[in-house]
Amino acid sequence: RPPFGASAKLWDQAAGRIDQHRRAFDVDGQSLLGRQPHWDDHAHAKSHQAAMKAIERLDCALGREMGIDSPSRGLGMSL
């Protein structure tokens, strides 16, 4: 979490949206927002979309781009 400022506020909003979505739709496991249901669930889709938008705003504020990293050798986590 960024220590202060607009980035901290965006982080709090994104974390709140993610937590709300995970609790409302009983998401567990390693998938951040879970899988889309096999049936048409408007509430799930709206919640998923709101969480993704909050994540995108945070990434933009932090200067990060969403995407898949190229494979590389070694262990670690990028932030």
Side-chain angles (χ1 to χ4, degrees):
R1 180 183 187 276
F4 56 87
S7 295
K9 183 178 177 182
L10 289 171
W11 190 96
D12 292 340
Q13 290 172 352
R17 286 285 184 181
I18 292 166
D19 184 59
Q20 180 183 31
H21 178 83
R22 290 178 62 87
R23 289 176 186 266
F25 298 99
D26 198 28
V27 175
D28 60 358
Q30 295 190 11
S31 175
L32 183 63
L33 298 176
R35 294 180 158 224
Q36 292 284 352
H38 296 292
W39 62 93
D40 183 21
D41 187 345
H42 185 71
H44 184 278
K46 285 293 194 181
S47 177
H48 189 278
Q49 181 182 25
M52 287 301 298
K53 284 185 178 183
I55 292 167
E56 289 171 9
R57 284 191 299 270
L58 174 62
D59 283 341
C60 183
L62 297 176
R64 297 188 304 204
E65 293 183 24
M66 291 186 69
I68 299 173
D69 292 337
S70 301
S72 63
R73 297 173 74 156
L75 299 173
M77 295 178 62
S78 60
L79 300 175

